[in-house]
Amino acid sequence: MFSSRILTITALLAATIAAGAQTAAQPPTTLKDAYKGAFYVGVAINTPQITGKDAAGDDVIVAQFNSVTPENALKWENILSKPGVYDFTLADKYVAFGEKHHMFIVGHNLVWHAQTPESVFQDEQGKPISRDALLQRLRDHIFTVVGRYKGRIQSWDVVNEALNDDGTLRKSKWEQIIGDDYILKAFEWVHEADPQVELNYNDYSLENPAKRAGAIALVKNLQAHGIPIAVVGNQAHVSLRSPTAEVEDQTVKELAATGVKVAITELDIDVLPEVSWGSADVNLRAARDPKLDPYPNGLPDAVQKELAQKYASLFEVYWKNRAVMSRVTLWGLSDADSWRNNWPVPGRTDDCLLWNRKLQPKPAFQAVIDVVKKAQ
Ligand code: G3I
């Protein structure tokens, strides 16, 4: 009995030492742990993930990420069932999901040229409404939505994609009916509705110098009007080809020089032949063509490796600039979830994210974790 007790204690000790040694040597195995203290690592979540229908996906999301963005659930057309009538069923579930898992919750978005019902800009006869009437609708929308989640959503994409690629203001319905100051008004009202909430301007292709200059001018204009804009979101819908790490680094640094933090808000890396040439304009469409869809049965190893290297090179930039970075969010969990499978060509097989279609982590996942390991 005595010897068996010694054996048990010895075994326990050995196990404890082994576990200790393992813990000390064990590299982080989750994105949120790897980048802890540097910036949030987030993911855009879709309806099955918000509602719990994609239970396997939810397990990965909860284990790996500490921030969420709703891929569609908070956009105008998703919460306005008909003019003036809101349906917050899905949006409430989204916020509850983030709260349950103690995540940094992002609101996406309040003012955008897309996914906004035409009726928002029209009267009952279908005629365009006046500047004052549209301002009133915008104000009501902001106070309704931001007010509903006051203190629960931590960060709002107040205005999304207001710029053309040349840095000028997009002639959206908002701009045409209200004028350039719709941006200022939106920011003012969000700040009034929730003074604590982080205010973001969000856009794509800010790696393009002309567009970046437009974003910088927009931020400075808001600052000149006393708006405490906190973050510029660079969506980073990028490709294997571009931007280079150097350009990404310059983009982050120039945006941060305005005094705001930088968030990478919608990261994915296109591996397919490019049809969009760096744009993420949701209105772009191109016809199906087998030449544009070369990997329907899986990504060749060489491209898989290239993808991993590209992810690593971008995360190296974000890690190096961590003092000015607030968050890096991936635009979807697995390749099966990505909008890129249907844009700008419908029905392609893009492998642009960190988890594959079987929800297995890809080499790119480990490469992103290894960035921090190598830096320390
Ligand atoms: O929900 C309907 C469904 O009822 C209908 O049967 C189906 C048929 O087409 O459409 C479904 O809606 C689709 C929706 O995604 C939900 O899946 C829309 O057609 C489709 O256009 C919409 O696409 C979204 C796109 O924004 C719309 O503009 C993508 O999921 C979403 O990833 C994408 O996200 C944007 C960001 O908000 C802003 N930056 C660019 C980014 C990528 O385009």
Side-chain angles (χ1 to χ4, degrees), residues 154-339:
Q154 279 84 42
S155 181
W156 267 109
D157 289 342
V158 178
V159 175
N160 194 42
E161 304 174 2
L163 295 166
N164 293 313
D165 284 347
D166 66 1
T168 57
L169 276 190
R170 187 191 285 269
K171 296 278 167 212
S172 66
K173 289 266 165 63
W174 297 109
E175 200 275 343
Q176 284 173 349
I177 299 175
I178 297 176
D180 294 0
D181 62 342
Y182 81 89
I183 299 175
L184 183 59
K185 294 285 179 204
F187 273 89
E188 265 173 22
W189 288 329
V190 176
H191 185 51
E192 198 183 324
D194 184 352
Q196 302 305 321
V197 85
E198 184 179 84
L199 305 174
N200 307 336
Y201 174 70
N202 193 46
D203 214 326
Y204 58 84
S205 297
L206 297 184
E207 290 85 2
N208 157 359
K211 192 162 187 180
R212 183 158 74 238
I216 290 170
L218 189 152
V219 169
K220 288 187 171 165
N221 184 47
L222 289 172
Q223 290 168 330
H225 284 87
I227 303 290
I229 177 168
V231 169
V232 171
N234 179 29
Q235 295 182 6
H237 291 294
V238 299
S239 75
L240 286 177
R241 187 185 54 86
S242 86
T244 61
E246 290 71 29
V247 168
E248 193 67 2
D249 184 62
Q250 193 182 351
T251 304
V252 170
K253 288 193 164 72
E254 282 186 22
L255 292 172
T258 61
V260 297
K261 290 253 172 149
V262 177
I264 299 300
T265 52
E266 307 187 7
L267 178 61
D268 50 25
I269 303 179
D270 188 9
V271 299
L272 298 180
E274 264 193 272
V275 221
S276 57
W277 303 114
S279 173
D281 192 325
V282 286
N283 298 318
L284 266 176
R285 291 283 177 274
R288 291 179 87 145
D289 175 348
K291 281 205 282 311
L292 297 175
D293 189 20
Y295 315 123
N297 303 316
L299 208 55
D301 285 350
V303 190
Q304 193 75 261
K305 206 170 156 198
E306 219 186 314
L307 180 70
Q309 283 164 350
K310 187 79 193 185
Y311 262 108
S313 72
L314 293 178
F315 271 85
E316 267 163 31
V317 170
Y318 307 144
W319 171 258
K320 273 196 296 179
N321 287 289
R322 59 193 179 282
V324 296
M325 300 284 310
S326 64
R327 165 169 63 93
V328 177
T329 291
L330 288 142
W331 203 243
L333 178 64
S334 84
D335 292 333
D337 301 325
S338 176
W339 70 294

Side-chain angles (χ1 to χ4, degrees), residues 49 54-65 97 101 333 359:
Q49 290 157 351
D54 179 5
D58 285 347
D59 287 347
V60 179
I61 290 166
V62 170
Q64 293 287 335
F65 297 93
F97 179 95
H101 301 295
L333 178 64
L359 209 54

